[in-house]
Amino acid sequence: MNKILRNLCLDSLTSDLTEEQRNLLCALLGNVELTLLYKASIHGYNASAFHQRCDRQGPTLLVAYNRSGYIFGGYTSVDYTQSGRQITDEEAFLFNLQGKIPVCIKVNSGCNARLDDGRAPNFGQQLYFCYNNQPAVYHQGQNVYDKYGVYNQGQNLYGGFGARVNPFNFNPATLYGNDTQLNECEVYKVEQKKDLQISAKMKPWRNVQWTAKRRDELMESIRDYKPMMTSVSRIRILMIGPVGAGKSSFFNSINSVFMGRMTSKAMSGSAGTSLTTQFRTYPVKDGREGKPLPFVLCDTMGLEEQSAAGLDIDDISSILQGHVPDRYKFNPTTPFQPEEQKASRPASLQEKIHCVVYVIDATKISLMSSKLEEKLGAIRRKVNTLGIPQMVLMTKVDEACPDVVEDLQNIYISSYIKTKVQEVSSRLGVPVSCVLPVKNYSQELELELNCDVLLLTALQQMLNFADDYLDDVGPF
């Protein structure tokens, strides 16, 4: 009889998350659904019960509740398998749900996100849940010595002789109020879900012609484009965005479209720090032997959360005003200092930036930290003072929505992509009409019509915005 009752309990697990809390967590993870696998109050706080329910389930989200009312936990995209190995997981993060906007702490790039053994679930061997088979959380702050014999407090030592690694930089007081006693611990299976609202009869929220004729029209329009002012021969478009968002990839993609083959002129990738270390101005030719097209894409160092890392905001001001030369190497700790002679005279309109484009990864919008959001806000205010038009490229839409992976034409039918566009608009303070979702070429070997149409449509809009700017500043 007891066994029957226990089985009934296991089959009718009830989540302690409210609908609002579940929605906040899903916003961090993308277009997903959460399925409750493990509930410590029912299955037990011991490691064996956790692994029995959660091993080999794919990506999982752990949610803990303590006596002080804190709701916190972590996400890993890699299976639990009890392999005994250190797991590298670039997607892993810790979170706290105390406020209306979740606090999200991403794993430091290149760090081991967790140890995959048969013990309690852990993140970075720093934060253990159901520690020692008890309703408790444990923060491991070891005192260790580095290879030089220097004493360091609160660091973890693993991964090689003298290697000091802190995968997650968090404050226990902020994350869980220093209250280590748990009332509950739950683990959810995280699965991408399809947008069930998509059907052949759905009316798109933006109209796009997905035809070869439209692609050819866009290419011809861009080839024939001439800036409104004769003193400007080519429009200068500045790309700004976080590390890995796809600034360099956008140039490579546009270059590929006009070259008629895949190109990789600008360095791009997925490193944790910016691969772009110089200010680069990339002209695009109309084919291998063709003439230069009437625009230049300007690439910058990626933005980073830390104040002394990534692109400096003061550098952006110098770039906007046309003082920074091509191939200038950025120094995050020292802003660009123009030569006194050049600084004394304003740059020509030809040298200035005519349109600013923020490049934002669709899969990481909800993970954007408050520090990075503040940095982008400061940049926007600076750009506004100069009257330069601004728009947003929302990249990696195929990674954000399974329906878009299946068919790129679903991009303006997907309600999920629409919500992401609206979220970008709200966070960056730009109109929804100025947010354009695109897919850069990344792993393809051949050009694809739908991808070309989106990329060219975005570029055409940049040229239109630049015209508005030139029309506003008037003749010089």
Side-chain angles (χ1 to χ4, degrees), residues 173-192:
T174 302
L175 190 68
Y176 54 89
N178 280 327
D179 184 350
T180 61
Q181 294 301 304
L182 298 181
N183 288 335
E184 186 62 272
C185 185
E186 300 174 331
V187 177
Y188 296 81
K189 181 181 179 69
V190 179
E191 294 179 287
Q192 290 287 326

Side-chain angles (χ1 to χ4, degrees), residues 328-348:
Y328 165 76
K329 188 168 184 178
F330 294 107
N331 182 346
T333 61
T334 306
F336 172 78
Q337 296 293 331
E339 295 176 19
E340 189 173 339
Q341 185 179 359
K342 290 184 178 179
S344 63
R345 66 168 181 85
S348 68

Side-chain angles (χ1 to χ4, degrees), residues 2 222 325 341 354 401 420 458 469:
N2 288 338
I222 291 167
Q341 185 179 359
H354 309 119
C401 179
K420 291 287 108 178
Y469 170 68

Side-chain angles (χ1 to χ4, degrees), residues 284-454:
V284 178
K285 287 184 178 180
D286 187 14
R288 185 171 182 178
E289 303 296 332
K291 64 179 182 179
L293 292 164
F295 62 90
V296 174
L297 295 174
C298 303
D299 197 9
T300 57
M301 191 177 191
L303 294 175
E304 297 187 38
E305 294 179 10
Q306 296 84 357
S307 56
L311 183 64
D312 190 281
I313 294 178
D314 289 334
D315 282 339
I316 293 175
S317 181
S318 297
I319 294 169
L320 294 172
Q321 296 177 68
H323 292 304
V324 179
D326 184 34
R327 298 184 185 271
Y328 165 76
K329 188 168 184 178
F330 294 107
N331 182 346
T333 61
T334 306
F336 172 78
Q337 296 293 331
E339 295 176 19
E340 189 173 339
Q341 185 179 359
K342 290 184 178 179
S344 63
R345 66 168 181 85
S348 68
L349 191 59
Q350 167 78 16
E351 297 170 300
K352 294 181 178 181
I353 296 299
H354 309 119
C355 179
V356 171
V357 177
Y358 302 99
V359 183
I360 304 295
D361 182 343
T363 67
K364 296 181 179 178
I365 294 165
S366 297
L367 298 176
M368 188 184 296
S369 69
S370 57
K371 289 183 179 178
L372 190 55
E373 198 168 332
E374 287 170 9
K375 222 172 196 179
L376 285 164
I379 294 169
R380 272 191 43 74
R381 289 190 293 272
K382 193 173 289 285
V383 176
N384 281 337
T385 62
L386 297 172
I388 301 172
Q390 304 166 72
M391 60 178 282
V392 179
L393 278 187
M394 194 174 80
T395 60
K396 304 184 183 181
V397 289
D398 54 322
E399 297 178 29
C401 179
D403 293 299
V404 178
V405 172
E406 190 175 293
D407 187 348
L408 199 56
Q409 291 190 24
N410 287 333
I411 193 168
Y412 287 130
I413 299 175
S414 167
S415 59
Y416 179 72
I417 294 298
K418 186 177 182 180
T419 62
K420 291 287 108 178
V421 167
Q422 292 168 337
E423 185 178 354
V424 169
S425 169
S426 175
R427 283 187 169 236
L428 269 65
V430 298
V432 168
S433 60
C434 295
V435 181
L436 278 75
V438 296
K439 179 191 179 308
N440 288 331
Y441 285 115
S442 56
Q443 56 189 8
E444 295 80 6
L445 297 177
E446 300 289 337
L447 297 175
E448 200 271 326
L449 172 63
N450 295 331
C451 194
D452 288 355
V453 169
L454 281 180

